[in-house]
mmCIF file of all heavy atoms in Angstrom:
data_model
loop_
_atom_site.group_PDB
_atom_site.id
_atom_site.type_symbol
_atom_site.label_atom_id
_atom_site.label_comp_id
_atom_site.label_asym_id
_atom_site.label_seq_id
_atom_site.Cartn_x
_atom_site.Cartn_y
_atom_site.Cartn_z
ATOM 1 N N THR U 1 -2.519 22.653 -12.641
ATOM 2 C CA THR U 1 -3.718 23.009 -11.882
ATOM 3 C C THR U 1 -3.569 22.571 -10.428
ATOM 4 O O THR U 1 -3.895 23.310 -9.507
ATOM 5 C CB THR U 1 -4.979 22.364 -12.479
ATOM 6 O OG1 THR U 1 -4.920 20.939 -12.301
ATOM 7 C CG2 THR U 1 -5.099 22.686 -13.960
ATOM 8 N N ASP U 2 -3.091 21.365 -10.218
ATOM 9 C CA ASP U 2 -2.898 20.806 -8.882
ATOM 10 C C ASP U 2 -2.319 19.399 -9.017
ATOM 11 O O ASP U 2 -2.197 18.852 -10.123
ATOM 12 C CB ASP U 2 -4.201 20.748 -8.067
ATOM 13 C CG ASP U 2 -5.436 20.586 -8.921
ATOM 14 O OD1 ASP U 2 -5.516 19.579 -9.635
ATOM 15 O OD2 ASP U 2 -6.292 21.486 -8.896
ATOM 16 N N LEU U 3 -1.948 18.817 -7.877
ATOM 17 C CA LEU U 3 -1.439 17.455 -7.814
ATOM 18 C C LEU U 3 -2.533 16.539 -7.275
ATOM 19 O O LEU U 3 -3.428 16.974 -6.556
ATOM 20 C CB LEU U 3 -0.205 17.381 -6.917
ATOM 21 C CG LEU U 3 0.955 18.316 -7.272
ATOM 22 C CD1 LEU U 3 2.093 18.138 -6.268
ATOM 23 C CD2 LEU U 3 1.450 18.071 -8.696
ATOM 24 N N ALA U 4 -2.436 15.254 -7.599
ATOM 25 C CA ALA U 4 -3.433 14.282 -7.158
ATOM 26 C C ALA U 4 -2.741 13.012 -6.666
ATOM 27 O O ALA U 4 -1.784 12.546 -7.277
ATOM 28 C CB ALA U 4 -4.379 13.945 -8.315
ATOM 29 N N SER U 5 -3.248 12.465 -5.556
ATOM 30 C CA SER U 5 -2.641 11.262 -4.967
ATOM 31 C C SER U 5 -3.693 10.184 -4.712
ATOM 32 O O SER U 5 -3.639 9.473 -3.706
ATOM 33 C CB SER U 5 -1.928 11.608 -3.654
ATOM 34 O OG SER U 5 -2.855 12.084 -2.683
ATOM 35 N N HIS U 6 -4.650 10.025 -5.629
ATOM 36 C CA HIS U 6 -5.793 9.145 -5.392
ATOM 37 C C HIS U 6 -5.413 7.739 -4.910
ATOM 38 O O HIS U 6 -5.869 7.296 -3.849
ATOM 39 C CB HIS U 6 -6.631 9.023 -6.669
ATOM 40 C CG HIS U 6 -7.374 10.249 -7.043
ATOM 41 N ND1 HIS U 6 -6.754 11.344 -7.623
ATOM 42 C CD2 HIS U 6 -8.684 10.578 -6.925
ATOM 43 C CE1 HIS U 6 -7.659 12.288 -7.859
ATOM 44 N NE2 HIS U 6 -8.834 11.845 -7.448
ATOM 45 N N ILE U 7 -4.619 7.031 -5.684
ATOM 46 C CA ILE U 7 -4.368 5.635 -5.325
ATOM 47 C C ILE U 7 -3.439 5.521 -4.122
ATOM 48 O O ILE U 7 -3.405 4.472 -3.466
ATOM 49 C CB ILE U 7 -3.832 4.821 -6.519
ATOM 50 C CG1 ILE U 7 -2.472 5.331 -6.997
ATOM 51 C CG2 ILE U 7 -4.836 4.826 -7.659
ATOM 52 C CD1 ILE U 7 -1.872 4.458 -8.089
ATOM 53 N N ILE U 8 -2.716 6.589 -3.813
ATOM 54 C CA ILE U 8 -1.898 6.600 -2.598
ATOM 55 C C ILE U 8 -2.784 6.884 -1.389
ATOM 56 O O ILE U 8 -2.694 6.222 -0.350
ATOM 57 C CB ILE U 8 -0.778 7.637 -2.694
ATOM 58 C CG1 ILE U 8 0.054 7.402 -3.963
ATOM 59 C CG2 ILE U 8 0.100 7.582 -1.459
ATOM 60 C CD1 ILE U 8 0.701 6.043 -4.052
ATOM 61 N N GLY U 9 -3.666 7.861 -1.517
ATOM 62 C CA GLY U 9 -4.593 8.156 -0.436
ATOM 63 C C GLY U 9 -5.442 6.952 -0.074
ATOM 64 O O GLY U 9 -5.753 6.724 1.106
ATOM 65 N N GLN U 10 -5.802 6.160 -1.075
ATOM 66 C CA GLN U 10 -6.599 4.962 -0.810
ATOM 67 C C GLN U 10 -5.864 3.990 0.108
ATOM 68 O O GLN U 10 -6.489 3.256 0.880
ATOM 69 C CB GLN U 10 -6.962 4.273 -2.131
ATOM 70 C CG GLN U 10 -7.980 3.164 -1.979
ATOM 71 C CD GLN U 10 -8.609 2.769 -3.302
ATOM 72 O OE1 GLN U 10 -8.255 3.306 -4.351
ATOM 73 N NE2 GLN U 10 -9.533 1.839 -3.262
ATOM 74 N N LEU U 11 -4.541 4.013 0.068
ATOM 75 C CA LEU U 11 -3.742 3.099 0.884
ATOM 76 C C LEU U 11 -3.613 3.549 2.337
ATOM 77 O O LEU U 11 -3.111 2.794 3.170
ATOM 78 C CB LEU U 11 -2.348 2.941 0.281
ATOM 79 C CG LEU U 11 -2.276 2.348 -1.123
ATOM 80 C CD1 LEU U 11 -0.823 2.219 -1.576
ATOM 81 C CD2 LEU U 11 -2.958 0.987 -1.180
ATOM 82 N N VAL U 12 -4.069 4.762 2.636
ATOM 83 C CA VAL U 12 -4.033 5.227 4.033
ATOM 84 C C VAL U 12 -4.933 4.355 4.900
ATOM 85 O O VAL U 12 -4.656 4.123 6.072
ATOM 86 C CB VAL U 12 -4.440 6.715 4.114
ATOM 87 C CG1 VAL U 12 -4.643 7.153 5.565
ATOM 88 C CG2 VAL U 12 -3.385 7.587 3.441
ATOM 89 N N ALA U 13 -6.026 3.852 4.320
ATOM 90 C CA ALA U 13 -6.955 3.002 5.064
ATOM 91 C C ALA U 13 -7.473 1.909 4.137
ATOM 92 O O ALA U 13 -8.242 2.195 3.214
ATOM 93 C CB ALA U 13 -8.107 3.824 5.622
ATOM 94 N N VAL U 14 -7.066 0.678 4.390
ATOM 95 C CA VAL U 14 -7.438 -0.446 3.528
ATOM 96 C C VAL U 14 -8.019 -1.567 4.390
ATOM 97 O O VAL U 14 -7.367 -2.045 5.326
ATOM 98 C CB VAL U 14 -6.221 -0.982 2.748
ATOM 99 C CG1 VAL U 14 -6.625 -2.195 1.897
ATOM 100 C CG2 VAL U 14 -5.618 0.107 1.878
ATOM 101 N N HIS U 15 -9.235 -1.995 4.069
ATOM 102 C CA HIS U 15 -9.784 -3.168 4.738
ATOM 103 C C HIS U 15 -8.993 -4.402 4.298
ATOM 104 O O HIS U 15 -8.588 -4.503 3.131
ATOM 105 C CB HIS U 15 -11.268 -3.335 4.399
ATOM 106 C CG HIS U 15 -11.939 -4.415 5.176
ATOM 107 N ND1 HIS U 15 -11.863 -5.738 4.815
ATOM 108 C CD2 HIS U 15 -12.663 -4.366 6.327
ATOM 109 C CE1 HIS U 15 -12.532 -6.469 5.697
ATOM 110 N NE2 HIS U 15 -13.029 -5.661 6.625
ATOM 111 N N PRO U 16 -8.764 -5.359 5.218
ATOM 112 C CA PRO U 16 -7.961 -6.548 4.865
ATOM 113 C C PRO U 16 -8.460 -7.299 3.627
ATOM 114 O O PRO U 16 -7.666 -7.936 2.940
ATOM 115 C CB PRO U 16 -8.070 -7.419 6.123
ATOM 116 C CG PRO U 16 -8.281 -6.448 7.235
ATOM 117 C CD PRO U 16 -9.113 -5.347 6.646
ATOM 118 N N ALA U 17 -9.757 -7.202 3.332
ATOM 119 C CA ALA U 17 -10.286 -7.895 2.153
ATOM 120 C C ALA U 17 -9.639 -7.405 0.863
ATOM 121 O O ALA U 17 -9.608 -8.124 -0.142
ATOM 122 C CB ALA U 17 -11.805 -7.710 2.070
ATOM 123 N N PHE U 18 -9.091 -6.171 0.890
ATOM 124 C CA PHE U 18 -8.531 -5.580 -0.317
ATOM 125 C C PHE U 18 -7.005 -5.529 -0.311
ATOM 126 O O PHE U 18 -6.407 -4.943 -1.218
ATOM 127 C CB PHE U 18 -9.090 -4.171 -0.514
ATOM 128 C CG PHE U 18 -10.593 -4.123 -0.559
ATOM 129 C CD1 PHE U 18 -11.306 -3.410 0.393
ATOM 130 C CD2 PHE U 18 -11.293 -4.807 -1.536
ATOM 131 C CE1 PHE U 18 -12.690 -3.373 0.363
ATOM 132 C CE2 PHE U 18 -12.678 -4.770 -1.581
ATOM 133 C CZ PHE U 18 -13.378 -4.053 -0.624
ATOM 134 N N ASP U 19 -6.360 -6.122 0.700
ATOM 135 C CA ASP U 19 -4.910 -6.009 0.848
ATOM 136 C C ASP U 19 -4.160 -6.407 -0.420
ATOM 137 O O ASP U 19 -3.349 -5.649 -0.958
ATOM 138 C CB ASP U 19 -4.420 -6.851 2.027
ATOM 139 C CG ASP U 19 -4.453 -6.076 3.336
ATOM 140 O OD1 ASP U 19 -4.463 -4.837 3.292
ATOM 141 O OD2 ASP U 19 -4.470 -6.712 4.395
ATOM 142 N N GLU U 20 -4.385 -7.610 -0.909
ATOM 143 C CA GLU U 20 -3.628 -8.095 -2.072
ATOM 144 C C GLU U 20 -4.001 -7.337 -3.334
ATOM 145 O O GLU U 20 -3.174 -7.148 -4.229
ATOM 146 C CB GLU U 20 -3.863 -9.591 -2.252
ATOM 147 C CG GLU U 20 -3.225 -10.436 -1.149
ATOM 148 C CD GLU U 20 -3.182 -11.909 -1.496
ATOM 149 O OE1 GLU U 20 -3.253 -12.242 -2.704
ATOM 150 O OE2 GLU U 20 -3.088 -12.712 -0.565
ATOM 151 N N TRP U 21 -5.225 -6.880 -3.393
ATOM 152 C CA TRP U 21 -5.720 -6.149 -4.559
ATOM 153 C C TRP U 21 -4.977 -4.830 -4.734
ATOM 154 O O TRP U 21 -4.606 -4.453 -5.853
ATOM 155 C CB TRP U 21 -7.214 -5.916 -4.359
ATOM 156 C CG TRP U 21 -7.975 -5.377 -5.540
ATOM 157 C CD1 TRP U 21 -7.494 -5.077 -6.774
ATOM 158 C CD2 TRP U 21 -9.374 -5.096 -5.560
ATOM 159 N NE1 TRP U 21 -8.498 -4.610 -7.578
ATOM 160 C CE2 TRP U 21 -9.663 -4.619 -6.859
ATOM 161 C CE3 TRP U 21 -10.398 -5.191 -4.629
ATOM 162 C CZ2 TRP U 21 -10.952 -4.236 -7.235
ATOM 163 C CZ3 TRP U 21 -11.679 -4.813 -5.010
ATOM 164 C CH2 TRP U 21 -11.947 -4.346 -6.299
ATOM 165 N N VAL U 22 -4.760 -4.107 -3.630
ATOM 166 C CA VAL U 22 -4.164 -2.768 -3.732
ATOM 167 C C VAL U 22 -2.663 -2.755 -3.479
ATOM 168 O O VAL U 22 -2.014 -1.720 -3.691
ATOM 169 C CB VAL U 22 -4.857 -1.789 -2.765
ATOM 170 C CG1 VAL U 22 -6.342 -1.699 -3.065
ATOM 171 C CG2 VAL U 22 -4.627 -2.186 -1.309
ATOM 172 N N ASP U 23 -2.090 -3.862 -3.030
ATOM 173 C CA ASP U 23 -0.669 -3.907 -2.707
ATOM 174 C C ASP U 23 0.236 -3.396 -3.834
ATOM 175 O O ASP U 23 1.235 -2.724 -3.565
ATOM 176 C CB ASP U 23 -0.262 -5.325 -2.317
ATOM 177 C CG ASP U 23 0.360 -5.378 -0.923
ATOM 178 O OD1 ASP U 23 0.344 -4.352 -0.217
ATOM 179 O OD2 ASP U 23 0.863 -6.449 -0.555
ATOM 180 N N PRO U 24 -0.059 -3.706 -5.098
ATOM 181 C CA PRO U 24 0.828 -3.235 -6.176
ATOM 182 C C PRO U 24 0.961 -1.720 -6.273
ATOM 183 O O PRO U 24 1.908 -1.226 -6.895
ATOM 184 C CB PRO U 24 0.179 -3.805 -7.446
ATOM 185 C CG PRO U 24 -0.573 -5.005 -6.984
ATOM 186 C CD PRO U 24 -1.090 -4.624 -5.630
ATOM 187 N N PHE U 25 0.043 -0.962 -5.670
ATOM 188 C CA PHE U 25 0.147 0.494 -5.700
ATOM 189 C C PHE U 25 1.225 1.017 -4.760
ATOM 190 O O PHE U 25 1.635 2.172 -4.872
ATOM 191 C CB PHE U 25 -1.192 1.136 -5.305
ATOM 192 C CG PHE U 25 -2.327 0.842 -6.248
ATOM 193 C CD1 PHE U 25 -3.627 0.753 -5.769
ATOM 194 C CD2 PHE U 25 -2.107 0.657 -7.603
ATOM 195 C CE1 PHE U 25 -4.684 0.489 -6.628
ATOM 196 C CE2 PHE U 25 -3.155 0.385 -8.464
ATOM 197 C CZ PHE U 25 -4.453 0.307 -7.981
ATOM 198 N N ALA U 26 1.665 0.180 -3.830
ATOM 199 C CA ALA U 26 2.618 0.618 -2.806
ATOM 200 C C ALA U 26 4.054 0.314 -3.221
ATOM 201 O O ALA U 26 4.311 -0.483 -4.127
ATOM 202 C CB ALA U 26 2.313 -0.069 -1.478
ATOM 203 N N ALA U 27 5.001 0.951 -2.542
ATOM 204 C CA ALA U 27 6.420 0.658 -2.769
ATOM 205 C C ALA U 27 6.710 -0.799 -2.397
ATOM 206 O O ALA U 27 6.106 -1.334 -1.457
ATOM 207 C CB ALA U 27 7.277 1.594 -1.925
ATOM 208 N N PRO U 28 7.604 -1.455 -3.117
ATOM 209 C CA PRO U 28 7.870 -2.881 -2.872
ATOM 210 C C PRO U 28 8.209 -3.200 -1.423
ATOM 211 O O PRO U 28 7.801 -4.252 -0.907
ATOM 212 C CB PRO U 28 9.056 -3.176 -3.797
ATOM 213 C CG PRO U 28 8.938 -2.178 -4.893
ATOM 214 C CD PRO U 28 8.391 -0.943 -4.259
ATOM 215 N N GLU U 29 8.913 -2.310 -0.753
ATOM 216 C CA GLU U 29 9.359 -2.604 0.606
ATOM 217 C C GLU U 29 8.231 -2.648 1.633
ATOM 218 O O GLU U 29 8.418 -3.168 2.743
ATOM 219 C CB GLU U 29 10.419 -1.595 1.056
ATOM 220 C CG GLU U 29 9.956 -0.164 1.136
ATOM 221 C CD GLU U 29 10.177 0.617 -0.149
ATOM 222 O OE1 GLU U 29 10.318 -0.028 -1.221
ATOM 223 O OE2 GLU U 29 10.201 1.865 -0.089
ATOM 224 N N VAL U 30 7.047 -2.116 1.292
ATOM 225 C CA VAL U 30 5.940 -2.163 2.251
ATOM 226 C C VAL U 30 4.802 -3.065 1.782
ATOM 227 O O VAL U 30 3.800 -3.200 2.484
ATOM 228 C CB VAL U 30 5.396 -0.753 2.549
ATOM 229 C CG1 VAL U 30 6.470 0.107 3.192
ATOM 230 C CG2 VAL U 30 4.843 -0.087 1.290
ATOM 231 N N GLN U 31 4.953 -3.691 0.641
ATOM 232 C CA GLN U 31 3.916 -4.605 0.172
ATOM 233 C C GLN U 31 3.847 -5.820 1.086
ATOM 234 O O GLN U 31 4.855 -6.338 1.534
ATOM 235 C CB GLN U 31 4.204 -5.030 -1.269
ATOM 236 C CG GLN U 31 4.034 -3.899 -2.265
ATOM 237 C CD GLN U 31 4.329 -4.299 -3.700
ATOM 238 O OE1 GLN U 31 4.508 -5.478 -4.008
ATOM 239 N NE2 GLN U 31 4.404 -3.324 -4.590
ATOM 240 N N GLY U 32 2.614 -6.250 1.377
ATOM 241 C CA GLY U 32 2.423 -7.365 2.285
ATOM 242 C C GLY U 32 2.531 -6.987 3.748
ATOM 243 O O GLY U 32 2.466 -7.846 4.624
ATOM 244 N N LYS U 33 2.673 -5.678 4.026
ATOM 245 C CA LYS U 33 2.798 -5.189 5.403
ATOM 246 C C LYS U 33 1.788 -4.052 5.603
ATOM 247 O O LYS U 33 2.131 -2.873 5.445
ATOM 248 C CB LYS U 33 4.214 -4.676 5.655
ATOM 249 C CG LYS U 33 5.313 -5.705 5.369
ATOM 250 C CD LYS U 33 6.691 -5.045 5.447
ATOM 251 C CE LYS U 33 7.789 -6.032 5.079
ATOM 252 N NZ LYS U 33 9.135 -5.375 5.062
ATOM 253 N N PRO U 34 0.554 -4.372 5.919
ATOM 254 C CA PRO U 34 -0.507 -3.364 5.955
ATOM 255 C C PRO U 34 -0.206 -2.149 6.830
ATOM 256 O O PRO U 34 -0.482 -1.014 6.420
ATOM 257 C CB PRO U 34 -1.712 -4.143 6.487
ATOM 258 C CG PRO U 34 -1.453 -5.556 6.070
ATOM 259 C CD PRO U 34 0.036 -5.733 6.167
ATOM 260 N N ARG U 35 0.364 -2.348 8.020
ATOM 261 C CA ARG U 35 0.632 -1.221 8.899
ATOM 262 C C ARG U 35 1.696 -0.310 8.300
ATOM 263 O O ARG U 35 1.536 0.917 8.249
ATOM 264 C CB ARG U 35 1.089 -1.719 10.278
ATOM 265 C CG ARG U 35 1.265 -0.578 11.296
ATOM 266 C CD ARG U 35 1.784 -1.129 12.623
ATOM 267 N NE ARG U 35 0.860 -2.057 13.199
ATOM 268 C CZ ARG U 35 -0.164 -1.715 13.977
ATOM 269 N NH1 ARG U 35 -0.379 -0.434 14.256
ATOM 270 N NH2 ARG U 35 -0.972 -2.620 14.485
ATOM 271 N N GLU U 36 2.780 -0.914 7.808
ATOM 272 C CA GLU U 36 3.857 -0.129 7.203
ATOM 273 C C GLU U 36 3.384 0.544 5.922
ATOM 274 O O GLU U 36 3.783 1.677 5.624
ATOM 275 C CB GLU U 36 5.068 -1.008 6.923
ATOM 276 C CG GLU U 36 5.804 -1.474 8.160
ATOM 277 C CD GLU U 36 5.239 -2.775 8.732
ATOM 278 O OE1 GLU U 36 4.069 -3.126 8.378
ATOM 279 O OE2 GLU U 36 5.935 -3.417 9.529
ATOM 280 N N ARG U 37 2.525 -0.156 5.185
ATOM 281 C CA ARG U 37 2.008 0.419 3.935
ATOM 282 C C ARG U 37 1.169 1.667 4.220
ATOM 283 O O ARG U 37 1.286 2.680 3.518
ATOM 284 C CB ARG U 37 1.167 -0.628 3.209
ATOM 285 C CG ARG U 37 0.622 -0.181 1.845
ATOM 286 C CD ARG U 37 -0.298 -1.230 1.252
ATOM 287 N NE ARG U 37 -1.451 -1.437 2.120
ATOM 288 C CZ ARG U 37 -2.112 -2.585 2.209
ATOM 289 N NH1 ARG U 37 -1.748 -3.625 1.486
ATOM 290 N NH2 ARG U 37 -3.160 -2.690 3.012
#
């Protein structure tokens, strides 16, 4: 039907309060690096 990128799209804009919470959704090389993530 279509593709979905919900948890990736959420990482386009993350308030610092949620950084550690959502970091596991990102590739290991950008975890802990909000701008790169």
